[in-house]
Amino acid sequence: GWLTKALFAGAAAGVFALQWLFWRLAGRLASRVPSGRRLAALAGVLLLAVAADKGLFAWGTLYDSVYITRNARLFPLYQPLTVRSLASKYLGVKLDGEVSIKADLKYTGLDYPKAPLSVDAKARPLNFLVIVVDSLRADMLDPQIMPETWSLAARARRFTNHYSGGNCTRFGIFSMFYGIYGNYWFPMLGERRGPVLMDVLLDRGYDVRLFASAKLSFPEFNKTCFVRVPRSGIYDEPPPRDGAGRDRDISERLSAYLRARKQGKPYFAFVFYDASHGSYDYPPGYDKFRPSEGLNPLMLNKDNFRPLFNKYKNSVHYDDSLIGGVLKAVKETGGFRDTVVLIAGDHGEPFFERGYYGHNQGYSPEEVRVPLVLYVPGRGALMEKKMTSHMDIPPTLLKLLGVGNPPSDYSSGTDLFSAGAGRKSVAVFSWDTAAIIREDGLIVMPLAAYKGGVKAYDAEYKEMGRSFAASFGPLMGEFQKEGRRFSR
């Protein structure tokens, strides 16, 4: 819109004005700077060192030189240079190719898994269908908004107090596949190390298929979660339409695969819908919730967000209809007898319930609580109210795959079907902060020096004082221990 363009023009004018002012003052400033060959030589050496550092790191990220990329987080204030978009658009560099370089494990900074996995080769080879809807918050699992998913939930386990491991896609998906804290994303990416869940699936001969509406190279899931998956098993470049069109395309591709595949070989399919992310797309005929319209984010506030919220709900409603089509294909091919189906969100999406809009902002319930529906053949329907996390998903699936190790060997989670009252707290991550969430509130901690101090909030996301923050002391000790348990 015009306001966005005007803001950009104003920012550009401001930068130009500062440059002009600096030019006018440059003569007087230059007279105060020491001159001489030594200063010039020192500046030259410094410039060459910086250029070499940034250039080598940018090259390492493009060509998967893990001996370079794995060191990015060793210095907390280091600022890496990446040219991924520039190289992909103008230099023809392929970002979604298979990774051919892996770090020698004798140089690894990771201790993951803690012990070799013991897998029962005679375990029943179930199929696995994992469906993730981007930005799907917990209260969207409703018979009016998601009738198809609600119908499946009636004969599955529905976890009503479930949390993502991150407030954005990167850490949400990471926690779902690795089952460990989000701070490990960086070394896993640096070393191109995949999760043990995918290792077991591939080693057991599963046909792994990935269907994504947005490319899996950003975030770099092709170099983390799915680094071992052959490119032939990945479909993440649907025709350039809006999110609704791309979601329909991957649904049709998956349904065709289910109907055509050979029945003798088990499969693992991952589906990632994107229509409910950002622009909240849906085709005509799905405007169930009205009024529904897009709004300029710069003009959005707590008094006018309702049409945009309805647009978001309509996009979720549309994706649910696509899920229904996929589940129909599973049923028609007899899959419910031997197929595990998991439906979840990668993170939520707040709409001013706690004073702000959009994910990757904070840790309010609307942003980090997501639905989780888990159908396992032979297990009855049940609504689980205990606190659970995305980090509990890998231990659950790996047990179904025949892994006999305790979850602590490879995860910070527990089996979702284990008896007990559930977790006392969950850990949720973002780029430079993390939160420990309890039933009565949460504490947000900085992971970088520039993020300031610790903040505590009650269950309604209202900031609390020091005494409430101090009550998280024991949990912070456990958090720090778990945050380095898989590091050497």
Side-chain angles (χ1 to χ4, degrees):
W2 66 268
L3 186 60
T4 304
K5 296 173 183 176
L7 180 64
F8 175 80
V15 171
F16 180 81
L18 288 173
Q19 291 284 5
W20 179 83
L21 180 62
F22 179 75
W23 173 69
R24 291 296 304 270
L25 297 175
R28 278 179 283 175
L29 292 172
S31 64
R32 301 179 185 179
V33 177
S35 60
R37 294 182 178 178
R38 290 185 179 180
L39 185 61
L42 180 61
V45 170
L46 179 61
L47 181 62
L48 285 173
V50 172
D53 164 53
K54 302 305 180 188
L56 279 171
F57 189 87
W59 179 88
T61 60
L62 290 177
Y63 292 99
D64 297 310
S65 178
V66 296
Y67 298 101
I68 295 173
T69 57
R70 67 188 291 268
N71 297 310
R73 303 281 293 184
L74 292 179
F75 179 56
L77 299 180
Y78 179 72
Q79 297 298 311
L81 172 69
T82 61
V83 292
R84 292 168 51 82
S85 297
L86 176 69
S88 175
K89 186 176 293 186
Y90 299 109
L91 303 180
V93 176
K94 294 288 289 181
L95 301 178
D96 55 354
E98 294 182 41
V99 176
S100 58
I101 303 176
K102 293 181 174 62
D104 190 324
L105 291 182
K106 69 181 179 181
Y107 299 116
T108 184
L110 293 162
D111 187 18
Y112 170 86
K114 302 291 290 185
L117 297 192
S118 173
V119 183
D120 181 5
K122 297 180 180 179
R124 181 187 177 190
L126 295 165
N127 301 312
F128 293 88
L129 173 59
V130 175
I131 300 174
V132 176
V133 180
D134 205 326
S135 307
L136 183 64
R137 50 192 259 176
D139 58 357
M140 292 298 101
L141 184 51
D142 176 272
Q144 298 301 315
I145 303 172
M146 300 186 74
E148 299 289 348
T149 305
W150 185 267
S151 178
L152 177 68
R155 50 197 179 106
R157 296 293 176 101
R158 178 163 64 97
F159 296 85
T160 61
N161 194 18
H162 186 79
Y163 288 81
S164 172
N167 67 359
C168 58
T169 295
R170 188 180 309 263
F171 301 106
I173 296 294
F174 179 84
S175 61
M176 179 182 290
F177 278 87
Y178 285 84
I180 58 179
Y181 282 11
N183 64 289
Y184 292 105
W185 162 271
F186 302 99
M188 291 293 181
L189 174 61
E191 296 190 17
R192 308 307 192 245
R193 293 280 293 277
V196 295
L197 172 60
M198 298 307 298
D199 289 341
V200 172
L201 286 164
L202 291 166
D203 292 345
R204 289 203 64 185
Y206 272 71
D207 184 14
V208 176
R209 300 291 177 131
L210 312 177
F211 301 87
S213 185
K215 294 188 71 170
L216 294 174
S217 57
F218 188 79
E220 302 92 338
F221 296 130
N222 65 327
K223 297 176 181 178
T224 50
C225 302
F226 311 124
V227 68
R228 284 189 58 194
V229 179
R231 182 63 202 171
S232 59
I234 303 174
Y235 182 75
D236 64 345
E237 296 186 71
R241 307 165 180 161
D242 61 6
R246 295 193 304 269
D247 284 2
R248 182 176 65 252
D249 185 72
I250 63 173
S251 294
E252 292 171 351
R253 293 265 181 166
L254 172 58
S255 297
Y257 164 76
L258 293 174
R259 292 187 171 100
R261 76 179 190 88
K262 295 181 180 180
Q263 296 296 319
K265 187 176 184 179
Y267 73 89
F268 175 92
F270 171 69
V271 191
F272 194 12
Y273 290 122
D274 195 53
S276 55
H277 177 261
S279 56
Y280 315 134
D281 300 319
Y282 60 90
Y286 286 88
D287 54 344
K288 182 175 182 178
F289 303 98
R290 301 178 184 179
S292 172
E293 62 178 309
L295 294 173
N296 187 329
L298 297 177
M299 302 294 293
L300 198 63
N301 58 57
K302 62 182 178 64
D303 298 319
N304 67 0
F305 74 90
R306 186 60 59 182
L308 186 65
F309 184 46
N310 285 338
K311 194 170 189 284
Y312 163 71
K313 290 199 296 184
N314 287 333
S315 68
V316 172
H317 181 60
Y318 171 67
D319 273 343
D320 179 71
S321 72
L322 298 178
I323 292 173
V326 171
L327 296 179
K328 181 181 178 181
V330 173
K331 182 179 180 180
E332 290 176 352
T333 55
F336 281 113
R337 295 192 303 268
D338 57 3
T339 301
V340 175
V341 181
L342 185 151
I343 303 175
D346 56 344
H347 55 77
E349 189 84 332
F351 284 84
F352 291 103
E353 293 87 355
R354 319 289 167 170
Y356 67 97
Y357 160 73
H359 60 274
N360 205 7
Q361 304 271 342
Y363 299 92
S364 68
E366 292 76 18
E367 188 168 358
V368 296
R369 279 188 60 187
V370 297
L372 176 62
V373 174
L374 181 57
Y375 169 82
V376 178
R379 291 188 181 267
L382 188 65
M383 184 177 68
E384 296 274 13
K385 297 181 180 180
K386 63 184 180 181
M387 179 179 277
T388 55
S389 165
H390 269 2
M391 284 180 270
D392 301 325
I393 291 174
T396 307
L397 301 187
L398 283 166
K399 188 174 182 179
L400 294 172
L401 281 163
V403 172
N405 297 57
S408 58
D409 279 354
Y410 55 83
S411 174
S412 299
T414 58
D415 182 3
L416 287 164
F417 293 115
S418 61
R423 293 168 163 269
K424 295 180 180 178
S425 65
V426 295
V428 184
F429 281 77
S430 189
W431 279 96
D432 45 20
T433 60
I436 302 173
I437 301 177
R438 301 184 312 207
E439 294 286 3
D440 64 335
L442 66 146
I443 189 168
V444 178
M445 302 161 291
L447 300 179
Y450 58 81
K451 289 302 293 186
V454 171
K455 293 184 178 180
Y457 301 84
D458 66 9
E460 297 300 319
Y461 209 62
K462 295 178 181 178
E463 191 165 352
M464 302 291 285
R466 292 184 178 180
S467 60
F468 185 72
S471 68
F472 284 83
L475 291 176
M476 290 181 69
E478 295 175 13
F479 174 90
Q480 291 174 335
K481 181 179 179 181
E482 197 64 26
R484 61 176 182 264
R485 190 164 65 87
F486 293 103
S487 299
R488 290 187 175 179

